[in-house]
Amino acid sequence: MMASSTTTTPLILHDDPENLPELTGSPTTRRLSIAKVLSGILVSVLVTCALVALINNQTYEPPAATTFATQLPNIDLKRVPGKLDSSAEVEWQRSAYHFQPDKNFISDPDGPMYHMGWYHLFYQYNPESAIWGNITWGHSVSKDMINWFHLPFAMVPDHWYDIEGVMTGSATVLPNGQIIMLYTGNAYDLSQVQCLAYAVNSSDPLLIEWKKYEGNPVLFPPPGVGYKDFRDPSTLWLGPDGEYRMVMGSKHNETIGCALIYHTTNFTHFELKEEVLHAVPHTGMWECVDLYPVSTVHTNGLDMVDNGPNVKYVLKQSGDEDRHDWYAIGSYDVVNDKWYPDDPENDVGIGLRYDFGKFYASKTFYDQHKKRRVLWGYVGETDPQKYDISKGWANILNIPRTVVLDTKTKTNLIQWPIEETENLRSKTYDEFKDVELRPGSLVPLEIGTATQLDIVATFEIDQKMLESTLEADVLFNCTTSEGSVARGALGPFGVVVLADAQRSEQLPVYFYIAKDIDGTSRTYFCADETRSSKDVSVGKWVYGSSVPVLPGEKYNMRLLVDHSIVEGFAQNGRTVVTSRVYPTKAIYNAAKVFLFNNATGISVKASIKIWKMAKAELNPFPLPGWTFEL
């Protein structure tokens, strides 16, 4: 591909109020007025004072008669996620501790970042409907990524270049502290162009005001790239030559998915490199491309500047055709901007996935506050669209996960719910130790209400019995199997959640051990949705994939159960499966938990701890003097 070039006014990178012009495509720059500067300073002081009043659990009672001596930023306070009138018929489906606005459609997470004590999450949102359209950037902030405050929308579709949607983008914090967003605009003709926006006041902890660059778009599809095959710019990072890099998703020759790579020095003029970062035939359009380093020796997260001999690089893409998030582990040539997979047979799009269930359009960010890399994605609905319209909302985000390289296998990632999730756990828990599960057994666990849970379970199998079993089951696969009812010598065994007492509705999450003809075995981690709901119109699948179990390890899983979503983590996060289920009977007090072993040839010893999970707080930001119309 040929390099593309555009002529635009360089971005001014100074936060000094006396010489900070507004970004503009015009040769004439407009200086900020003294009144606006003073107003901004006062607003920052007032915001800071308000933030001091917020304690760690983010509860806050504004004074009854609080007034401001100056006007707050000129923000339309109606532009916040609205309130949904409760409907008893569907209220049980809403998650209690996953992120979702009160109503309407939500999808891709955008621009996650940590700034001045707050985690920021931007996300695609339709303020007008529970189905896709009118895509706007919602904006919420949190102290812990579990409890959230909603802020006014960051960006709305209001220019020719994004009138059909303010689409996926990423945040970059520049060395001087200025914060910019690169995002894809769906233009009036549905072509995809890349646009720039910036925080008006990067000293504002809440980053309330965002302004689009007046010279937008900064990038058009280059020659040879379809006008709808050019999207989702990544976070920028600095290369050894002093130039910033950015990757974009695309495809060529219809079937070859690829990651384009651009260089820039001023963030408004970009040069496309002649060779792509990486491409894989027969993988289709790559969306939401992500490139980031992982340590081969430590369990802390890394920023893009952290490279060296003990670093590998993850390349990830969201497959537009199959709607899965694929990743591979490899090496990145920082000089020539080329990425190479460690295992070509597990290249991007044909090997490993973040999640083998319902999960898409993910994005990571480096959390400098706790030295970790955090993964966000969205979990779509699998019920008919007419249901989404009637209930008034659609889709949620996953519980944020830390991402590190598995330093034991060095061939896969480890994903795990952020530690703050455990703050929602009840002070006490139900524990069942060394439960003997003989072949064909089912054991109910009496714990009371079972719709908001955090479950940690381990399973032990007699190693001699495992080795002596001769049955070969080399063709087993979660997705093509008959689910938990298919009995083999070494599986399935695990936990049943969101089940009614008679198990007319149930979601079994389980291990299945398949032996090869040479005596070796492979373990699978699966979730069987086929009997999860009496409603015949909702989607039901058997999800899952293989999971490495090393010598001496017990089989273990963690399940986050939240009404209509179950996130399952096997072997401390080596394989992850997320399910969306819509029980009609197994709700509230009627929901039950069971242990089961449906294997024919082995007994299993199970130990399990179950915590009840509290409801997360998702509210409008309680800034004194502001009135949100919900």
Side-chain angles (χ1 to χ4, degrees):
M1 296 180 184
M2 298 180 60
S4 65
S5 62
T6 57
T7 302
T8 56
T9 301
L11 178 63
I12 305 298
L13 302 177
H14 301 286
D15 277 340
D16 183 354
E18 289 300 319
N19 55 27
L20 174 62
E22 296 187 22
L23 296 178
T24 175
S26 167
T28 304
T29 59
R30 296 173 292 176
R31 295 187 180 278
L32 296 175
S33 67
I34 298 298
K36 188 171 183 180
V37 171
L38 292 176
S39 175
I41 294 173
L42 286 171
V43 168
S44 297
V45 171
L46 291 169
V47 168
T48 302
C49 292
L51 299 184
V52 171
L54 294 172
I55 59 176
N56 288 336
N57 65 3
Q58 296 183 238
T59 59
Y60 176 76
E61 291 293 336
T66 302
T67 59
F68 285 91
T70 185
Q71 293 293 318
L72 290 167
N74 184 24
I75 296 292
D76 180 1
L77 298 182
K78 294 181 181 179
R79 301 196 316 179
V80 297
K83 194 76 173 176
L84 177 69
D85 293 334
S86 178
S87 173
E89 293 183 358
V90 296
E91 188 62 24
W92 53 268
Q93 290 187 16
R94 284 190 61 85
S95 63
Y97 57 89
H98 284 73
F99 180 90
Q100 63 180 143
D102 283 330
K103 68 177 182 179
N104 295 334
F105 174 95
I106 181 177
S107 58
D108 303 21
D110 292 303
M113 61 183 299
Y114 180 80
H115 174 68
M116 297 182 69
W118 290 92
Y119 291 101
H120 289 255
L121 175 66
F122 304 84
Y123 53 91
Q124 291 186 17
Y125 181 68
N126 183 352
E128 299 176 355
S129 174
I131 62 176
W132 189 94
N134 190 37
I135 297 301
T136 295
W137 269 29
H139 182 195
S140 297
V141 292
S142 173
K143 286 291 187 180
D144 59 6
M145 285 188 283
I146 298 296
N147 302 287
W148 292 88
F149 289 119
H150 297 307
L151 291 172
F153 302 146
M155 289 186 283
V156 299
D158 56 5
H159 289 71
W160 69 265
Y161 51 78
D162 63 11
I163 195 65
E164 293 296 330
V166 181
M167 309 306 289
T168 301
S170 302
T172 301
V173 181
L174 302 181
N176 69 345
Q178 187 175 12
I179 300 171
I180 63 174
M181 291 282 186
L182 285 171
Y183 71 93
T184 296
N186 268 1
Y188 71 96
D189 59 354
L190 299 180
S191 63
Q192 294 168 350
V193 294
Q194 309 316 310
C195 308
L196 173 67
Y198 63 96
V200 173
N201 180 10
S202 57
S203 297
D204 172 12
L206 299 182
L207 299 176
I208 292 172
E209 288 191 273
W210 291 84
K211 185 175 179 61
K212 297 174 184 178
Y213 173 49
E214 293 189 6
N216 277 336
V218 296
L219 272 175
F220 292 87
V225 170
Y227 74 100
K228 292 184 179 181
D229 301 330
F230 181 64
R231 53 186 178 269
D232 311 337
S234 73
T235 296
L236 296 156
W237 74 94
L238 189 62
D241 55 3
E243 296 183 352
Y244 279 84
R245 273 81 165 154
M246 178 265 287
V247 291
M248 293 271 299
S250 188
K251 69 176 179 180
H252 58 271
N253 292 342
E254 296 301 321
T255 64
I256 304 175
C258 63
L260 309 176
I261 188 159
Y262 285 85
H263 283 206
T264 185
T265 56
N266 62 8
F267 314 107
T268 60
H269 175 264
F270 291 80
E271 179 187 358
L272 175 63
K273 305 311 291 183
E274 185 173 352
E275 293 190 20
V276 299
L277 176 74
H278 191 61
V280 180
H282 310 300
T283 55
M285 175 66 198
W286 287 10
E287 297 187 313
C288 305
V289 172
D290 204 2
L291 175 71
Y292 58 89
V294 289
S295 173
T296 60
V297 294
H298 301 296
T299 57
N300 58 290
L302 298 179
D303 200 356
M304 280 298 289
V305 297
D306 300 325
N307 51 48
N310 297 320
V311 173
K312 289 288 185 179
Y313 282 84
V314 176
L315 181 61
K316 168 264 169 183
Q317 60 96 356
S318 299
D320 185 39
E321 296 178 9
D322 57 31
R323 312 304 284 180
H324 298 318
D325 276 28
W326 302 87
Y327 77 87
I329 297 165
S331 302
Y332 168 50
D333 183 339
V334 299
V335 175
N336 297 310
D337 289 318
K338 296 290 290 184
W339 181 91
Y340 304 96
D342 286 352
D343 179 7
E345 292 186 2
N346 280 309
D347 207 341
V348 185
I350 59 176
L352 300 171
R353 284 163 50 185
Y354 278 154
D355 195 305
F356 288 89
K358 192 68 175 175
F359 180 87
Y360 194 65
S362 62
K363 184 177 294 293
T364 68
F365 77 101
Y366 177 67
D367 174 13
Q368 69 271 27
H369 177 53
K370 292 197 171 183
K371 310 301 180 185
R372 58 187 174 180
R373 182 160 289 273
V374 178
L375 170 69
W376 280 102
Y378 91 89
V379 183
E381 306 291 338
T382 58
D383 61 355
Q385 191 175 85
K386 63 181 181 180
Y387 286 14
D388 298 339
I389 295 173
S390 64
K391 68 190 179 187
W393 55 270
N395 307 336
I396 58 181
L397 300 189
N398 66 289
I399 290 295
R401 308 167 183 171
T402 57
V403 183
V404 297
L405 181 68
D406 187 343
T407 56
K408 294 180 179 179
T409 67
K410 289 185 168 58
T411 58
N412 56 271
L413 296 176
I414 292 285
Q415 301 171 67
W416 199 245
I418 59 171
E419 60 184 356
E420 290 89 338
T421 308
E422 298 176 16
N423 294 335
L424 293 176
R425 285 175 170 176
S426 54
K427 293 182 179 180
T428 61
Y429 55 84
D430 295 286
E431 184 172 18
F432 305 86
K433 291 184 177 180
D434 298 332
V435 180
E436 190 72 20
L437 300 174
R438 297 187 180 278
S441 62
L442 177 74
V443 178
L445 304 178
E446 297 300 330
I447 64 168
T449 304
T451 51
Q452 296 171 208
L453 304 174
D454 189 350
I455 299 173
V456 175
T458 60
F459 303 88
E460 296 180 72
I461 298 175
D462 186 288
Q463 191 64 27
K464 291 182 179 179
M465 184 177 293
L466 176 62
E467 293 174 354
S468 64
T469 303
L470 299 177
E471 179 181 282
D473 198 1
V474 295
L475 299 179
F476 180 84
N477 184 292
C478 292
T479 58
T480 58
S481 72
E482 296 179 0
S484 59
V485 299
R487 304 185 67 183
L490 303 175
F493 58 89
V495 182
V496 179
V497 296
L498 296 178
D500 64 323
Q502 293 74 36
R503 290 188 304 119
S504 63
E505 292 181 332
Q506 60 176 331
L507 177 69
V509 184
Y510 55 91
F511 292 104
Y512 190 104
I513 304 171
K515 293 199 73 172
D516 205 338
I517 55 176
D518 60 2
T520 61
S521 62
R522 173 176 288 191
T523 300
Y524 292 82
F525 181 59
C526 315
D528 179 6
E529 297 180 350
T530 56
R531 291 173 292 162
S532 60
S533 176
K534 288 288 189 179
D535 190 336
V536 297
S537 63
V538 302
K540 306 182 189 78
W541 294 271
V542 181
Y543 289 130
S545 184
S546 61
V547 56
V549 180
L550 303 185
E553 291 183 342
K554 297 179 182 178
Y555 300 84
N556 69 76
M557 68 172 71
R558 182 178 179 185
L559 306 180
L560 296 177
V561 181
D562 192 0
H563 293 269
S564 65
I565 178 174
V566 177
E567 295 187 68
F569 302 81
Q571 298 309 108
N572 299 312
R574 288 187 183 131
T575 296
V576 184
V577 178
T578 296
S579 300
R580 288 306 301 274
V581 294
Y582 308 90
T584 61
K585 293 183 176 182
I587 63 176
Y588 296 133
N589 292 333
K592 307 293 181 182
V593 178
F594 298 83
L595 287 169
F596 79 101
N597 175 20
N598 213 21
T600 61
I602 56 168
S603 294
V604 178
K605 185 183 295 183
S607 295
I608 187 169
K609 292 181 180 180
I610 305 175
W611 289 265
K612 303 291 177 59
M613 294 291 276
K615 181 179 175 63
E617 296 293 328
L618 291 93
N619 300 305
F621 192 89
L623 192 60
W626 284 37
T627 301
F628 289 83
E629 293 190 13
L630 298 177

Coordinates of all heavy atoms in Angstrom, one line a residue, residues 63-104:
P63 N -25.0 19.2 50.0 CA -25.7 20.1 50.9 C -27.0 20.5 50.3 O -27.2 20.6 49.1 CB -24.7 21.2 51.1 CG -23.4 20.7 50.7 CD -23.6 19.6 49.6
A64 N -27.9 20.9 51.2 CA -29.3 21.2 50.7 C -29.3 22.6 50.0 O -30.1 22.8 49.1 CB -30.2 21.3 51.9
A65 N -28.4 23.5 50.3 CA -28.4 24.8 49.6 C -27.0 25.1 49.2 O -26.4 26.0 49.7 CB -29.0 25.8 50.6
T66 N -26.5 24.4 48.2 CA -25.2 24.7 47.6 C -25.3 25.6 46.4 O -26.1 25.3 45.5 CB -24.5 23.4 47.3 OG1 -24.4 22.6 48.5 CG2 -23.1 23.7 46.8
T67 N -24.6 26.7 46.3 CA -24.6 27.5 45.2 C -23.2 27.8 44.7 O -22.2 27.6 45.4 CB -25.3 28.9 45.5 OG1 -24.6 29.5 46.6 CG2 -26.7 28.7 45.9
F68 N -23.1 28.2 43.4 CA -21.8 28.5 42.9 C -21.7 30.0 42.5 O -22.7 30.6 42.0 CB -21.5 27.7 41.6 CG -21.2 26.2 41.9 CD1 -22.2 25.3 42.0 CD2 -19.9 25.9 42.1 CE1 -21.9 24.0 42.3 CE2 -19.6 24.5 42.4 CZ -20.6 23.6 42.5
A69 N -20.6 30.5 42.7 CA -20.4 32.0 42.4 C -20.1 32.1 40.9 O -20.1 33.2 40.4 CB -19.2 32.5 43.2
T70 N -19.8 31.0 40.2 CA -19.5 31.1 38.8 C -20.3 30.0 38.1 O -20.7 29.0 38.7 CB -18.0 31.0 38.5 OG1 -17.8 31.2 37.1 CG2 -17.5 29.6 38.9
Q71 N -20.4 30.2 36.8 CA -21.1 29.1 36.0 C -20.2 27.9 35.8 O -19.0 28.1 35.5 CB -21.5 29.7 34.7 CG -22.6 30.8 34.8 CD -23.9 30.2 35.3 OE1 -24.3 29.1 34.8 NE2 -24.6 30.9 36.2
L72 N -20.8 26.8 35.8 CA -20.1 25.6 35.4 C -19.9 25.5 33.9 O -20.6 26.3 33.2 CB -20.8 24.3 36.0 CG -20.7 24.2 37.5 CD1 -21.7 23.1 37.9 CD2 -19.4 23.8 37.9
P73 N -19.1 24.6 33.4 CA -19.0 24.5 31.9 C -20.3 24.4 31.2 O -21.3 23.8 31.8 CB -18.1 23.3 31.7 CG -17.3 23.1 33.0 CD -18.3 23.6 34.1
N74 N -20.4 25.0 30.0 CA -21.6 25.0 29.3 C -21.9 23.6 28.7 O -21.7 23.4 27.5 CB -21.6 26.1 28.2 CG -22.9 26.2 27.5 OD1 -24.0 25.9 28.0 ND2 -22.8 26.7 26.2
I75 N -22.4 22.7 29.6 CA -22.7 21.4 29.2 C -24.2 21.2 29.2 O -24.9 21.6 30.2 CB -22.0 20.4 30.1 CG1 -20.5 20.5 30.0 CG2 -22.5 19.0 29.8 CD1 -20.0 20.1 28.7
D76 N -24.8 20.5 28.2 CA -26.2 20.2 28.2 C -26.4 19.0 29.2 O -26.1 17.9 28.9 CB -26.6 19.8 26.8 CG -28.1 19.5 26.8 OD1 -28.8 19.5 27.8 OD2 -28.6 19.1 25.7
L77 N -26.9 19.3 30.4 CA -27.0 18.2 31.4 C -28.1 17.2 31.1 O -28.2 16.2 31.8 CB -27.2 18.9 32.7 CG -26.1 19.8 33.2 CD1 -26.4 20.3 34.6 CD2 -24.8 19.1 33.2
K78 N -28.9 17.4 30.0 CA -29.8 16.4 29.6 C -29.1 15.3 28.9 O -29.7 14.2 28.7 CB -30.9 17.0 28.7 CG -31.8 18.0 29.4 CD -32.8 18.6 28.5 CE -33.7 19.6 29.2 NZ -34.7 20.2 28.3
R79 N -27.9 15.6 28.5 CA -27.1 14.6 27.7 C -26.4 13.6 28.6 O -25.2 13.5 28.7 CB -26.2 15.3 26.7 CG -26.8 16.2 25.8 CD -25.9 16.6 24.6 NE -24.6 16.9 25.0 CZ -23.6 17.3 24.2 NH1 -23.9 17.3 22.9 NH2 -22.4 17.5 24.6
V80 N -27.2 12.9 29.4 CA -26.7 11.8 30.2 C -27.5 10.6 30.0 O -28.7 10.7 29.6 CB -26.7 12.2 31.7 CG1 -25.7 13.4 32.0 CG2 -28.1 12.5 32.2
P81 N -27.0 9.4 30.3 CA -27.9 8.2 30.2 C -29.1 8.4 31.0 O -29.1 8.7 32.2 CB -27.0 7.1 30.8 CG -25.6 7.6 30.6 CD -25.7 9.1 30.8
G82 N -30.3 8.1 30.4 CA -31.6 8.4 31.1 C -32.0 7.2 32.0 O -31.4 6.1 31.9
K83 N -33.0 7.5 32.7 CA -33.6 6.5 33.7 C -34.7 5.7 33.0 O -35.5 6.3 32.3 CB -34.1 7.2 34.9 CG -34.4 6.3 36.1 CD -33.1 5.9 36.8 CE -33.4 5.2 38.1 NZ -32.1 4.7 38.8
L84 N -34.7 4.4 33.3 CA -35.7 3.5 32.8 C -36.8 3.3 33.8 O -36.4 2.9 35.0 CB -35.1 2.2 32.3 CG -36.1 1.2 31.8 CD1 -36.7 1.6 30.4 CD2 -35.3 -0.2 31.6
D85 N -38.0 3.4 33.5 CA -39.1 3.0 34.4 C -39.0 1.5 34.6 O -39.0 0.8 33.6 CB -40.5 3.4 33.8 CG -40.6 4.9 33.8 OD1 -40.0 5.6 34.6 OD2 -41.4 5.4 32.9
S86 N -39.0 1.1 35.8 CA -38.9 -0.3 36.2 C -40.0 -1.1 35.6 O -41.2 -0.7 35.7 CB -38.8 -0.5 37.7 OG -38.7 -1.9 38.0
S87 N -39.7 -2.3 35.0 CA -40.7 -3.2 34.6 C -40.4 -4.6 35.3 O -39.4 -5.2 35.1 CB -40.6 -3.4 33.0 OG -41.5 -4.4 32.6
A88 N -41.4 -5.0 36.1 CA -41.2 -6.2 36.9 C -41.0 -7.4 36.0 O -40.4 -8.4 36.4 CB -42.4 -6.4 37.8
E89 N -41.5 -7.4 34.7 CA -41.4 -8.5 33.9 C -40.0 -8.8 33.4 O -39.6 -9.9 33.1 CB -42.3 -8.3 32.6 CG -43.8 -8.3 33.0 CD -44.7 -8.2 31.7 OE1 -44.1 -8.1 30.6 OE2 -45.9 -8.2 31.9
V90 N -39.2 -7.8 33.3 CA -37.8 -7.9 32.8 C -36.7 -7.5 33.8 O -35.5 -7.7 33.6 CB -37.6 -7.1 31.5 CG1 -38.5 -7.7 30.4 CG2 -37.8 -5.7 31.7
E91 N -37.1 -6.9 34.9 CA -36.1 -6.4 35.9 C -35.2 -7.4 36.4 O -34.0 -7.2 36.6 CB -36.9 -5.8 37.1 CG -36.0 -5.0 38.0 CD -35.3 -3.8 37.4 OE1 -35.8 -3.3 36.4 OE2 -34.2 -3.4 37.9
W92 N -35.6 -8.7 36.5 CA -34.7 -9.8 37.0 C -33.6 -10.0 36.0 O -32.6 -10.7 36.4 CB -35.5 -11.0 37.2 CG -36.4 -11.5 36.1 CD1 -37.7 -11.2 35.8 CD2 -36.0 -12.3 35.0 NE1 -38.1 -11.7 34.7 CE2 -37.1 -12.5 34.1 CE3 -34.8 -12.9 34.6 CZ2 -37.0 -13.2 32.9 CZ3 -34.7 -13.7 33.5 CH2 -35.8 -13.8 32.6
Q93 N -33.7 -9.6 34.7 CA -32.6 -9.9 33.8 C -31.5 -8.9 33.9 O -30.4 -9.2 33.5 CB -33.2 -9.8 32.3 CG -34.1 -10.9 31.9 CD -34.4 -10.8 30.5 OE1 -33.8 -10.1 29.7 NE2 -35.5 -11.5 30.0
R94 N -31.8 -7.7 34.5 CA -30.7 -6.7 34.6 C -29.6 -7.2 35.6 O -29.9 -7.7 36.6 CB -31.3 -5.4 35.1 CG -32.0 -4.6 34.0 CD -32.4 -3.2 34.5 NE -31.2 -2.4 34.8 CZ -30.5 -1.8 33.9 NH1 -30.8 -1.8 32.6 NH2 -29.4 -1.1 34.2
S95 N -28.4 -6.9 35.2 CA -27.3 -7.2 36.1 C -27.2 -6.3 37.3 O -27.8 -5.2 37.3 CB -25.9 -7.1 35.3 OG -25.8 -5.7 34.9
A96 N -26.7 -6.8 38.4 CA -26.6 -6.1 39.6 C -25.2 -5.4 39.8 O -25.1 -4.4 40.4 CB -26.9 -7.0 40.8
Y97 N -24.2 -6.0 39.3 CA -22.8 -5.5 39.5 C -22.0 -5.4 38.3 O -20.8 -5.0 38.3 CB -22.1 -6.2 40.6 CG -21.9 -7.7 40.4 CD1 -20.8 -8.2 39.7 CD2 -22.8 -8.7 40.9 CE1 -20.6 -9.6 39.6 CE2 -22.6 -10.0 40.7 CZ -21.5 -10.5 40.1 OH -21.3 -11.8 39.9
H98 N -22.6 -5.6 37.1 CA -21.9 -5.3 35.8 C -22.3 -3.9 35.4 O -23.3 -3.4 35.7 CB -22.3 -6.3 34.8 CG -21.6 -7.7 34.9 ND1 -22.0 -8.6 35.9 CD2 -20.6 -8.3 34.2 CE1 -21.2 -9.7 35.8 NE2 -20.4 -9.5 34.8
F99 N -21.4 -3.3 34.6 CA -21.7 -2.0 34.1 C -22.7 -1.9 33.0 O -22.5 -2.6 32.0 CB -20.4 -1.3 33.6 CG -20.6 0.1 33.1 CD1 -20.4 1.2 34.0 CD2 -20.9 0.4 31.8 CE1 -20.6 2.5 33.5 CE2 -21.1 1.6 31.3 CZ -21.0 2.7 32.2
Q100 N -23.7 -1.1 33.2 CA -24.7 -0.9 32.1 C -25.5 0.4 32.5 O -25.8 0.6 33.7 CB -25.6 -2.0 31.8 CG -26.5 -2.4 33.0 CD -27.4 -3.6 32.6 OE1 -27.7 -4.4 33.5 NE2 -27.9 -3.6 31.4
P101 N -25.8 1.3 31.6 CA -26.7 2.4 31.9 C -28.1 1.9 32.2 O -28.4 0.7 32.0 CB -26.7 3.2 30.6 CG -25.5 2.7 29.8 CD -25.3 1.3 30.2
D102 N -28.9 2.8 32.7 CA -30.3 2.4 33.1 C -31.1 1.9 31.9 O -32.0 1.1 32.1 CB -31.0 3.5 33.8 CG -30.5 3.6 35.3 OD1 -30.1 2.6 35.8 OD2 -30.5 4.7 35.8
K103 N -30.8 2.5 30.7 CA -31.6 2.1 29.6 C -30.8 2.3 28.3 O -29.7 2.9 28.3 CB -32.9 3.0 29.5 CG -32.7 4.5 29.2 CD -34.1 5.2 29.1 CE -33.9 6.6 28.8 NZ -35.2 7.3 28.6
N104 N -31.4 1.8 27.2 CA -30.9 1.9 25.9 C -29.7 1.0 25.5 O -29.3 0.2 26.4 CB -30.6 3.4 25.6 CG -31.9 4.2 25.6 OD1 -33.0 3.8 25.3 ND2 -31.7 5.5 25.9

